[in-house]
């Protein structure tokens, strides 16, 4: 009986496997190629051993994704140098077998130092395929001169350049023309002078998204972003403790900008045109960075983003703005304000923010009412006159990491008494317990 039951179970498993195999086999080649295009190329090529039909299927993929880390298996005893050359050989062979086929996207990530000659060869080969997206995360020892054809590619829509360890100083040719480039990421990429970065951005007339992350100081003194249709901009700095600040000025001429993020240490100065279409601005200055930005620079930055609808200020951003004694503009369009924990004298900024935000509807204390790493007294001095937003617009207050201390309750009490149209006060305690006060009618 057991033998019969075991035999039946095996037949059932075989039937299920055959059914599964039939389902895959019935898919058209074009659909299988699309599926393989979503995999790292190493795995797509590995499917060639499945059957005669699959032997050439991978050559129809439209996305090539190479990452040397996939060779660095925990039990692999091969030396790093040997793995490096195995990886280079693999990429070269795949490109030779794929020659003449369509390539929409080419992604290359090298965690080990890679020979510039091979990188340029692979990029040039992709340009011959009318590639639309290049995503390069490579580590090279010296300055890199990318192929001239890259800067005049008419098919390129997405270009992402990322040096994964040290800064790469890139030489930009005198002529840059990328008529269809919409997304540009420059992470850890330095430039030889102010003109080179301006020339690069200016050569992208339809650029919609720009991300710039700097790791170390280079020769750029003015980051000049002139982009007439840019909608999303991120300018950030990493490893600020080693670079002592973003020692340059930032100039923005981006009239259609919708989303702006500035993070890292404050720049020496800002010159920002009135961003009248701005939906969201996130200012995240880092503590301990060089705060050489003067009152005029911070005032220019705030005035430039004064038309924003949603404003997010981190802990140290509040500190920088408060200590600089900058003049706050009127935020006539702002309906949402999110604040980090108020450090030191940051509390003196809140009354002025409320007074200058007449249409504020939601106020969020994203990190609670004080910085938990250091004990700062909640130095809350209510404004003498109740801000207009409390009388007619403020409906929601959210306090995360609420401690329930006396000073905190006093502040909550102020809002309960003076916010005439308040509908909800939501408090989330440090132990993740929630408490919500909702109002059905206000008198």
């Amino acid at each position: 009986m057991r033998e019969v039951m075991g035999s039946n179970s095996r037949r059932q498993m075989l039937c299920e496997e055959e059914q599964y195999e039939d389902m895959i086999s019935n898919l058209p080649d074009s659909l299988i190629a699309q599926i393989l295009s979503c995999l790292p190329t190493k795995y797509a090529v590995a499917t060639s051993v499945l059957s005669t039909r699959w032997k050439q299927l991978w050559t129809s993929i439209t996305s090539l994704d190479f990452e040397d880390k996939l060779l660095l298996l925990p039990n692999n005893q091969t030396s790093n140098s040997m793995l490096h050359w195995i990886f280079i050989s693999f990429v070269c062979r795949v490109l030779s077998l794929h020659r003449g086929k369509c390539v929409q996207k080419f992604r290359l990530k090298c965690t080990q130092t890679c020979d510039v000659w091979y990188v340029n060869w692979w990029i040039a080969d992709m340009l011959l395929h009318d590639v639309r997206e290049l995503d390069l995360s490579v580590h090279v020892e010296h300055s890199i001169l990318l192929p001239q054809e890259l800067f005049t590619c008419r098919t390129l829509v997405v270009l992402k350049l990322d040096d994964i360890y040290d800064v790469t100083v890139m030489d930009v040719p005198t002529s840059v023309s990328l008529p269809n480039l919409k997304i540009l990421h420059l992470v850890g990429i330095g430039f030889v002078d102010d003109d080179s970065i301006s020339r690069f951005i200016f050569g992208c007339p339809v650029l919609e998204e720009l991300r710039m992350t700097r790791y170390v100081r280079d020769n750029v003194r003015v980051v000049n972003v002139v982009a007439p249709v840019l909608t999303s901009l991120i300018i950030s700095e990493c490893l600020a403790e080693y670079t002592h600040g973003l020692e340059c000025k930032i100039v923005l001429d981006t009239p259609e900008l919708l989303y702006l993020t500035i993070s890292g240490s404050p720049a020496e100065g800002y010159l920002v045109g009135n961003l009248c279409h701005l939906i969201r601005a996130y200012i995240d200055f880092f503590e301990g960075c060089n705060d050489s930005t003067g009152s005029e620079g911070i005032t220019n930055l705030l005035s430039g983003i004064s038309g924003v609808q949603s404003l997010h200020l981190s802990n140290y951003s509040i500190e920088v703005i408060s200590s600089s004694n900058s003049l706050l503009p009127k935020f006539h369009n702002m309906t949402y304000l999110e604040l980090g924990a108020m450090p030191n004298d940051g509390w003196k900024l809140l009354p002025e923010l409320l007074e200058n935000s007449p249409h504020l509807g939601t106020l969020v204390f994203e990190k609670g009412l004080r910085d938990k790493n250091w004990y700062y007294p909640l130095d809350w001095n209510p404004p003498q006159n109740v801000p207009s937003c409390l009388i007619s617009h403020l409906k929601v207050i959210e306090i995360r990491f609420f401690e329930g201390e006396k000073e905190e309750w006093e502040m909550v009490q102020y809002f309960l008494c003076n916010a005439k149209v308040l509908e909800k006060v939501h408090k989330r305690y440090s132990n993740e317990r929630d408490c919500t006060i909702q109002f059905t009618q206000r008198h």
Side-chain angles (χ1 to χ4, degrees):
M1 179 65 70
R2 291 180 180 177
E3 292 180 359
V4 172
M5 291 178 62
S7 179
N8 290 336
S9 299
R10 284 193 294 272
R11 279 198 294 269
Q12 183 178 358
M13 292 175 61
L14 289 173
C15 290
E16 290 177 354
E17 291 177 0
E18 289 175 359
Q19 182 181 6
Y20 177 75
E21 291 176 357
D22 289 339
M23 290 175 62
I24 299 295
S25 300
N26 289 333
L27 293 176
D29 289 357
S30 58
L31 182 55
I32 294 178
Q34 289 183 38
I35 296 173
L36 294 180
S37 295
C38 299
L39 299 175
T41 302
K42 173 186 175 181
Y43 301 134
V45 173
T47 63
S48 63
V49 303
L50 295 178
S51 68
T52 303
R53 182 198 176 198
W54 285 78
K55 188 174 183 179
Q56 297 298 325
L57 271 178
W58 73 268
T59 61
S60 299
I61 61 178
T62 58
S63 175
L64 296 178
D65 186 345
F66 300 101
E67 183 173 352
D68 62 355
K69 190 177 180 180
L70 295 178
L71 296 176
L72 304 177
L73 301 177
N75 297 325
N76 199 324
Q77 301 300 316
T78 310
S79 67
N80 285 343
S81 176
M82 181 62 70
L83 286 172
H84 175 65
W85 287 109
I86 292 174
F87 175 73
I88 288 179
S89 176
F90 174 71
V91 176
C92 291
R93 180 159 178 77
V94 168
L95 294 186
S96 65
L97 294 173
H98 206 272
R99 186 162 287 118
K101 304 294 179 63
C102 175
V103 178
Q104 295 287 322
K105 176 181 178 180
F106 178 74
R107 177 179 178 269
L108 175 67
K109 184 172 183 178
C110 297
T111 57
Q112 300 185 49
T113 301
C114 194
D115 193 309
V116 175
W117 187 87
Y118 283 104
V119 174
N120 285 346
W121 175 24
W122 298 335
I123 295 173
D125 187 68
M126 289 300 99
L127 295 176
L128 295 176
H129 289 75
D130 294 334
V131 66
R132 291 171 53 86
E133 181 174 349
L134 279 178
D135 186 350
L136 309 175
S137 297
V138 296
H139 174 45
V140 294
E141 291 182 342
H142 307 290
S143 297
I144 181 170
L145 179 60
L146 296 170
Q148 175 72 41
E149 296 80 7
L150 174 65
F151 297 93
T152 56
C153 180
R154 302 188 63 85
T155 62
L156 206 56
V157 177
V158 178
L159 177 60
K160 298 179 181 180
L161 303 176
D162 181 0
D163 186 302
I164 56 178
Y165 289 124
D166 302 318
V167 66
T168 292
V169 179
M170 184 171 60
D171 293 328
V172 179
T174 55
S175 177
V176 178
S177 179
L178 297 167
N180 292 300
L181 191 70
K182 294 184 178 182
I183 298 175
L184 175 62
H185 291 185
L186 303 171
V187 179
I189 303 296
F191 295 87
V192 295
D193 53 27
D194 297 351
D195 185 59
S196 60
I197 185 172
S198 299
R199 188 165 63 247
F200 196 172
I201 297 173
F202 187 76
C204 310
V206 298
L207 192 63
E208 297 178 359
E209 177 185 319
L210 173 61
R211 176 183 176 186
M212 300 176 60
T213 302
R214 300 180 63 199
Y215 284 86
V216 298
R217 285 175 284 179
D218 52 22
N219 296 321
V220 175
R221 302 301 300 167
V222 178
V223 177
N224 191 11
V225 180
V226 179
V229 297
L230 192 72
T231 58
S232 178
L233 173 62
I234 298 176
I235 298 180
S236 59
E237 180 189 15
C238 294
L239 304 179
E241 63 270 26
Y242 301 111
T243 61
H244 308 294
L246 191 63
E247 297 181 351
C248 66
K249 295 182 179 180
I250 296 177
V251 179
L252 302 184
D253 184 2
T254 53
E256 299 299 319
L257 198 65
L258 301 177
Y259 307 99
L260 172 65
T261 296
I262 295 178
S263 66
S265 58
E268 290 180 338
Y270 297 90
L271 182 57
V272 182
N274 187 25
L275 307 177
C276 56
H277 300 294
L278 198 61
I279 294 176
R280 180 184 183 274
Y282 180 42
I283 310 300
D284 181 21
F285 295 141
F286 294 167
E287 186 174 4
C289 300
N290 177 25
D291 53 355
S292 60
T293 308
S295 173
E296 182 180 358
I298 295 296
T299 299
N300 289 339
L301 174 60
L302 296 175
S303 297
I305 66 173
S306 61
V308 70
Q309 298 176 30
S310 173
L311 177 61
H312 303 242
L313 298 176
S314 68
N315 302 19
Y316 197 65
S317 301
I318 299 169
E319 177 78 5
V320 170
I321 295 171
S322 298
S323 60
S324 67
N325 294 316
S326 305
L327 296 176
L328 285 186
K330 286 286 186 180
F331 296 96
H332 288 288
N333 299 328
M334 187 165 68
T335 60
Y336 183 97
L337 175 61
E338 184 171 303
L339 303 173
M342 299 289 193
N344 290 339
D345 60 349
W347 276 106
K348 70 181 183 181
L349 186 68
L350 181 57
E352 192 175 359
L353 277 171
L354 294 175
E355 184 62 42
N356 287 23
S357 310
H359 297 100
L360 184 65
T362 301
L363 175 61
V364 177
F365 296 95
E366 193 263 338
K367 295 293 184 180
L369 298 180
R370 63 162 56 93
D371 191 330
K372 300 304 181 297
N373 296 322
W374 302 93
Y375 183 81
Y376 299 126
L378 201 163
D379 191 13
W380 162 245
N381 293 314
Q384 293 183 350
N385 298 318
V386 178
S388 60
C389 66
L390 269 67
I391 297 174
S392 58
H393 286 84
L394 188 64
K395 295 183 179 181
V396 177
I397 297 175
E398 182 175 348
I399 305 173
R400 301 166 190 169
F401 301 99
F402 188 75
E403 295 292 324
E405 297 182 2
K406 178 182 177 182
E407 295 169 324
E408 294 176 304
W409 279 114
E410 289 176 351
M411 181 177 172
V412 171
Q413 186 65 30
Y414 169 82
F415 284 112
L416 291 176
C417 293
N418 293 281
K420 302 304 182 183
V421 296
L422 193 63
E423 296 178 355
K424 182 173 73 172
V425 176
H426 180 79
K427 303 186 297 297
R428 172 165 293 182
Y429 290 81
S430 298
N431 60 7
E432 298 187 357
R433 179 170 59 90
D434 290 358
C435 176
T436 301
I437 303 174
Q438 287 188 299
F439 308 93
T440 56
Q441 185 177 3
R442 300 286 291 176
H443 299 286

